Amino acid sequence: MNQRTPILIVDDDEILLEMLRSGLSTDDFRCAVAHTASSAIELLRATPFEVMVVDVVLPDLDGFELTRRAKILRPKMAVIIMTGYIDDFSYDRALEAGASDFIKKPFTFREMQARIKHVRMHEEVRSLLHKDELTDLYNRRGFFTLVEYLLKMAKRQKKCLFMLYADLDNLKYINDTWGHQEGDRALIAVAQILTKNFRESDIIARIGGDEFVVIPVGTAGDHVDSIFDRLYKAVEDYNSMNKRDYHISISAGMAFYDPENPSSIDELLAEGDKSMYEWKRRRKNS
């Protein structure tokens, strides 16, 4: 089984790219290369790279903007920015874009290997702090960390976003009737349904006992109904394939982020919670 770390290197210098690819393609790393930001984005859509090494200067986008877009596609990926102009380099801009580290050209292979191993270790530690142990989704801390960055990007790019807010129905009844171990199994089932139903690049988190959020789940209002329909169909399919003494049931609402009238993360959660309980009320009355 191949356990080598997949790395993407982005630079328009052909000689440097080939040197890095051959020098880093060892027992530890598996390297792919891109000459432009647009080709890098296509590779990122297809492959879950763990590390991206990118030059600041590219033909189409600069390395900072590519980093911003790359972190939306692959939030867990570490990014190292390369620069040959250290006097003009802004570490604050690199951090704001989502980079984990930077390295000054020229550098040695040993230095690059050390940087890659360092950012991977840092991301692994951060992942443990941001992960919900039961469901393997992001926890509340991880959700707030990632969404804060996402909303900054949406505001800058004037991009509308929708956030799904959902909870597992009747968790207390499941715990009281079949025990907390069965309640945990039900929560894990919801996590599996959400993970299979949404994209890998979406932020999926368990933010409370029975509360889950997914963002972004769309950018246009006409997508909302289809998102709900797809989710509830996934729940039905799960129940039909997994015979239990009870059915998994999810209630869901939607919150909207408007870059022209930006809201905080807490305000988005409150809007999603209100929308979900309105849906519960309508379902109960009908």
Side-chain angles (χ1 to χ4, degrees):
M1 186 174 178
N2 191 348
Q3 295 293 333
R4 294 187 298 166
T5 302
I7 298 173
L8 176 61
I9 306 167
V10 190
D11 200 308
D12 61 348
D13 185 330
E14 293 269 3
I15 296 175
L16 178 62
L17 273 185
E18 187 53 40
M19 287 176 59
L20 286 173
R21 175 161 55 183
S22 60
L24 291 173
S25 293
T26 65
D27 291 339
D28 294 326
F29 305 121
R30 175 167 51 87
C31 297
V33 299
H35 304 86
T36 64
S38 56
S39 59
I41 289 171
E42 290 304 311
L43 287 170
L44 286 164
R45 288 195 175 107
T47 305
F49 293 101
E50 292 186 25
V51 180
M52 181 176 74
V53 181
V54 56
D55 191 34
V56 170
V57 180
L58 296 171
D60 41 1
L61 293 175
D62 66 35
F64 299 119
E65 183 59 29
L66 173 56
T67 298
R68 291 187 188 99
R69 299 187 186 190
K71 291 293 284 186
I72 292 174
L73 288 171
R74 301 289 177 187
K76 298 178 183 178
M77 182 179 67
V79 178
I80 300 171
I81 293 183
M82 299 183 288
T83 179
Y85 306 96
I86 196 66
D87 292 337
D88 298 326
F89 182 78
S90 170
Y91 191 47
D92 288 340
R93 281 191 68 194
L95 290 177
E96 183 183 351
S100 305
D101 201 353
F102 78 96
I103 189 168
K104 181 183 180 297
K105 295 179 178 179
F107 47 78
T108 65
F109 289 127
R110 180 173 293 181
E111 183 182 3
M112 177 60 81
Q113 288 173 332
R115 293 293 178 97
I116 291 171
K117 290 177 180 178
H118 172 75
V119 297
R120 282 194 67 224
M121 182 178 66
H122 183 270
E123 289 299 317
E124 287 173 4
V125 171
R126 192 176 71 145
S127 176
L128 290 174
L129 293 174
H130 290 174
K131 185 175 290 185
D132 176 57
E133 292 184 8
L134 177 66
T135 63
D136 209 33
L137 301 177
Y138 288 111
N139 59 21
R140 190 178 185 89
R141 176 191 291 179
F143 169 77
F144 269 77
T145 300
L146 293 171
V147 172
E148 181 178 11
Y149 172 77
L150 181 67
L151 296 187
K152 285 181 180 178
M153 286 292 298
K155 183 178 180 181
R156 179 182 293 113
Q157 297 174 357
K158 298 189 181 302
K159 186 176 181 180
C160 301
L161 297 174
F162 284 89
M163 182 191 77
L164 180 82
Y165 190 106
D167 75 5
L168 167 64
D169 295 328
N170 303 317
L171 176 60
K172 184 178 185 303
Y173 174 74
I174 296 171
N175 285 333
D176 292 346
T177 306
W178 291 282
H180 285 269
Q181 186 173 4
E182 189 61 36
D184 286 348
R185 289 181 60 202
L187 290 167
I188 293 170
V190 174
Q192 292 172 342
I193 291 168
L194 294 175
T195 301
K196 291 179 181 178
N197 199 56
F198 293 98
R199 301 168 301 179
E200 185 180 354
S201 59
D202 294 333
I203 299 168
I204 308 175
R206 178 188 175 207
I207 61 167
D210 59 357
E211 297 168 319
F212 299 82
V213 288
V214 185
I215 186 171
V217 293
T219 58
D222 56 356
H223 293 162
V224 171
D225 288 341
S226 63
I227 290 167
F228 282 129
D229 291 343
R230 192 173 72 243
L231 175 60
Y232 290 126
K233 177 64 165 57
V235 173
E236 290 178 9
D237 291 343
Y238 181 90
N239 285 324
S240 65
M241 291 184 294
N242 296 270
K243 301 302 181 183
R244 295 182 178 180
D245 293 328
Y246 59 91
H247 280 177
I248 295 294
S249 176
I250 294 176
S251 295
M254 196 72 70
F256 174 66
Y257 178 82
D258 181 0
E260 299 297 334
N261 185 26
S263 50
S264 68
I265 302 174
D266 285 325
E267 288 169 338
L268 271 183
L269 291 174
E271 180 185 345
D273 184 60
K274 181 179 178 181
S275 171
M276 180 191 68
Y277 276 98
E278 177 62 23
W279 189 91
K280 280 179 180 278
R281 186 187 64 79
R282 290 200 306 267
R283 183 175 63 173
K284 183 177 179 179
N285 291 339
S286 62

